[in-house]
Amino acid sequence: MKHNFGAGPGILPHEVLKQAAAAVVDFNGIGLSILEISHRSPEFEAVLDEAVKLVKELLEVPEGYSVLFLQGGASTQFAMVPYNLLAGNAKAAYVESGVWANKALKEAKYFGQVDVIATSKESNFTYIPKDYEVPADAAYLHLTSNNTIYGTQLHHFPKSPIPVVCDMSSDIFSRTINVADFGLIYAGAQKNMGPAGTTLVIVKDELLGKVDRKIPSMLDYKIQIDNGSMYNTPPVFAIYVSMLTLAWVKSKGGVAAIQKENEAKAKVLYGEIERNPLFKPVCATEDRSNMNVCFVMENAELEKPFLKLCDERGIIGIKGHRSVGGFRASIYNALSINSVYALVEVMQEFAEKNK
Ligand SMILES: *Cc1c(COP(=O)(O)O)cnc(C)c1O
């Protein structure tokens, strides 16, 4: 078995893969594959209901919110959010904490005015901007909770007088959150929730229906809610595997228990990066991500041989994003602490060889 540190599509629990594989051949003993049943069948409706129920349970979603499983990835949400929430004569506030935030705000400009209230672009996004005031007259504040490429994470969400919209693609279900603090949360499934192909949206119902532009049906949250995420054929398999993964999170003791494990994994890995003379961290200490751990080498010439040794030891997917360089170890929910120990061991072995 490989140690999968890939950033996305990311690691899934082995039990989930086994269940999904069996369901591809025979779903729940009905003699049909999950891939060939009607999305309107009672069997699939039960899957979708269970997935929605698990989201509500695991995140303690309060009354007044709807849970959707949509398509088009988080990138479609970059446009769908302003399409539904930003009137043409209004403005939205964006914190630019990375490339995904930048892409989100670019889409918003198609729909209304965009106020970039803070950015860390000048430092190649090595920290989370914090020094800003949220304008009370904006339609919403857009945040990215975890910056997958740079390895920074918002550990304290700012107080906001306006609804907060948050892209949680790479840390959803990795830690407890207070859903009531948000107007809308979205997350592409393929980092920490399931396979690529579906996007989770949790939206506060009262925010909808306030913009009077015409919205195409597929991109209209209200229509998606009224149709229970089934305005068209939903991504049946991606929702099924997400449901299995959420059930796995529940079986591990829920999000709070997973959070403890994630913190423990991050502590071990950052500890080694700091201790080991060959490596150094990339990001501001207080903003370090517990999901994507970015680090570089003091001597860049050693990067290739280190990657080679990792490969030999079954450590996969730790090459950093091209815009940061170095290494990025993604330690999502499904990655066990033993995989982190395996990486630490290779780091120590490599340091020993290169004294
Ligand atoms: C991966 C990622 C995205 C893009 O997701 P897609 O589903 O590929 O559109 C957006 N935001 C964040 C924070 C991501 O990590």
Side-chain angles (χ1 to χ4, degrees):
M1 287 270 287
K2 306 275 188 190
H3 303 286
N4 184 1
F5 290 88
I11 183 171
L12 289 168
H14 194 66
E15 301 95 286
V16 166
L17 296 178
K18 282 209 283 209
Q19 285 172 283
V24 166
V25 179
D26 183 1
F27 176 55
N28 282 359
I30 63 170
L32 293 167
S33 165
I34 180 78
L35 302 180
E36 58 180 359
I37 60 170
S38 166
H39 58 290
R40 308 267 175 210
S41 64
E43 287 85 3
F44 181 70
E45 288 203 348
V47 168
L48 183 54
D49 287 350
E50 182 64 16
V52 170
K53 200 175 127 225
L54 283 164
V55 170
K56 289 185 172 170
E57 194 180 327
L58 289 169
L59 296 178
E60 298 176 31
V61 177
E63 288 293 305
Y65 285 78
S66 294
V67 173
L68 297 169
F69 284 89
L70 304 180
Q71 300 182 59
S75 299
T76 296
Q77 295 308 307
F78 295 165
M80 201 161 160
V81 163
Y83 220 147
N84 285 263
L85 303 182
L86 180 57
N89 57 359
K91 74 171 176 186
Y94 278 72
V95 174
E96 190 185 24
S97 55
V99 156
W100 297 120
N102 175 270
K103 288 190 169 169
L105 72 90
K106 273 191 187 147
E107 297 296 300
K109 286 180 182 170
Y110 288 113
F111 301 94
Q113 200 188 315
V114 168
D115 196 354
V116 180
I117 59 170
T119 182
S120 49
K121 197 173 182 171
E122 82 291 341
S123 82
N124 199 27
F125 303 115
T126 51
Y127 67 97
I128 301 267
K130 295 171 202 76
D131 196 15
Y132 55 81
E133 231 169 84
V134 182
D137 59 342
Y140 61 84
L141 167 68
H142 184 279
L143 302 170
T144 311
S145 58
N146 185 72
N147 298 283
T148 325
I149 293 174
Y150 311 93
T152 61
Q153 189 172 25
L154 203 48
H155 292 295
H156 307 283
F157 290 94
K159 286 249 170 305
S160 172
I162 54 176
V164 177
V165 173
C166 192
D167 176 358
M168 296 195 185
S169 293
S170 51
D171 68 353
I172 189 98
F173 301 110
S174 74
R175 56 169 167 170
T176 58
I177 50 165
N178 184 19
V179 174
D181 291 342
F182 300 88
L184 191 150
I185 291 165
Y186 63 90
Q190 71 273 18
K191 309 293 179 12
N192 215 14
M193 186 183 85
T198 191
T199 308
L200 174 67
V201 174
I202 304 170
V203 56
K204 195 172 192 177
D205 300 319
E206 67 176 39
L207 297 182
L208 303 175
K210 292 185 174 164
V211 166
D212 42 358
R213 74 165 61 88
K214 292 194 170 71
I215 303 172
S217 308
M218 277 296 284
L219 300 178
D220 188 330
Y221 290 123
K222 195 98 191 22
I223 289 179
Q224 292 288 2
I225 292 168
D226 291 345
N227 288 276
S229 299
M230 289 221 263
Y231 178 74
N232 76 328
T233 314
V236 168
F237 191 62
I239 293 172
Y240 174 63
V241 181
S242 296
M243 183 278 279
L244 294 177
T245 310
L246 295 175
W248 173 85
V249 171
K250 183 175 168 182
S251 76
K252 300 274 288 182
V255 176
I258 286 266
Q259 175 173 357
K260 276 215 181 99
E261 283 187 34
N262 287 333
E263 285 166 358
K265 288 185 292 187
K267 196 165 173 232
V268 169
L269 188 48
Y270 283 117
E272 178 61 20
I273 292 165
E274 281 179 346
R275 190 207 59 80
N276 192 311
L278 294 189
F279 300 93
K280 62 180 177 190
V282 172
C283 301
T285 309
E286 73 273 18
D287 297 330
R288 283 178 190 171
S289 170
N290 288 338
M291 291 279 97
N292 311 98
V293 177
C294 290
F295 54 106
V296 291
M297 275 184 150
E298 298 282 357
N299 175 2
E301 278 178 11
L302 291 176
E303 286 185 2
K304 269 210 180 119
F306 177 65
L307 277 177
K308 186 162 170 284
L309 184 64
C310 284
D311 198 54
E312 284 166 21
R313 296 286 186 277
I315 308 254
I316 301 301
I318 65 157
K319 194 170 175 5
H321 190 272
R322 60 190 178 281
S323 61
V324 179
F327 310 99
R328 170 178 53 175
S330 299
I331 51 176
Y332 296 129
N333 286 352
L335 186 102
S336 91
I337 196 160
N338 291 327
S339 289
V340 175
Y341 289 136
L343 172 56
V344 165
E345 220 168 88
V346 176
M347 291 165 79
Q348 293 177 352
E349 179 185 337
F350 192 76
E352 199 54 42
K353 281 185 186 154
N354 289 279
K355 264 213 246 201

